[in-house]
Amino acid sequence: RRIEHSLPAERGRFIGREAPLRALAAKLESGSRLVSVLGTGGTGKTRLAIRFAWTWLGAYPGGVWFCDLSQATTLDGIYYEAAQALNVPLGKTPPGAQLADAVAGRARCLVLFDHFEQVAGHAEESVGSWLDRAPQASFLVTTREVLNVAGENTLPLGPMPPGEATALFLRRIEGFP
């Protein structure tokens, strides 16, 4: 069965990060519905989250939806990007409620928000509200800071271990992504 999604294609072979992938899976499988992958810029938060989403796509019959918040600066920006990712035309209903209903209607789904740090002040009124209104949905967030939403579980992501970093570096200098 084909699972709907809005995931970007993976660019090249995924190298390393098996332990963080297992930890992320364990958090979501144990009932955490909001997991924030925390780390500084360039640590691979986005790459890890996308890899997880592709790997576990079959576990989410309601689909996996990728929302790139790199251009968002306001709550309306979050709503716009979520609507684009979920393919939900926004109408006369307040957008937060409309998106909550859309997520809830997909039952067991995963919504992945990338670059949430720049709109973290709106986390409670967006993701926090959707957690309450869509009880079967899970949310995966990449961010440089904790969102401070009730129920948030964090996964700190540091630099790659030296062996994995070396393998990635060698792959890149050989001309492979």
Side-chain angles (χ1 to χ4, degrees), residues 68-150:
D68 180 358
L69 298 179
S70 60
Q71 301 300 311
T73 57
T74 64
L75 181 59
D76 285 337
I78 296 170
Y79 293 157
Y80 174 80
E81 295 300 339
Q84 294 298 306
L86 293 160
N87 197 22
V88 173
L90 296 177
K92 294 180 182 178
T93 306
Q98 187 176 354
L99 290 164
D101 291 343
V103 172
R106 292 165 198 232
R108 184 167 163 73
C109 67
L110 178 68
V111 183
L112 193 167
F113 288 102
D114 191 29
H115 298 288
F116 213 106
E117 64 274 354
Q118 58 205 26
V119 287
H122 301 292
E124 186 60 49
E125 55 196 321
S126 57
V127 174
S129 171
W130 300 334
L131 276 167
D132 293 337
R133 295 187 61 181
Q136 294 182 59
S138 296
F139 298 88
L140 176 57
V141 173
T142 68
T143 181
R144 295 180 187 187
E145 63 183 75
V146 176
L147 302 182
N148 293 311
V149 171

Side-chain angles (χ1 to χ4, degrees), residues 168-177:
L168 179 60
F169 176 74
L170 291 173
R171 178 124 177 116
R172 296 270 168 87
I173 63 171
E174 291 170 352
F176 297 104

Side-chain angles (χ1 to χ4, degrees), residues 12 17 23 26 40 66-67 83-84 87 97 99 136 154 166:
R17 297 288 196 191
T40 58
F66 180 83
C67 306
Q84 294 298 306
N87 197 22
L99 290 164
Q136 294 182 59
T154 59
T166 300

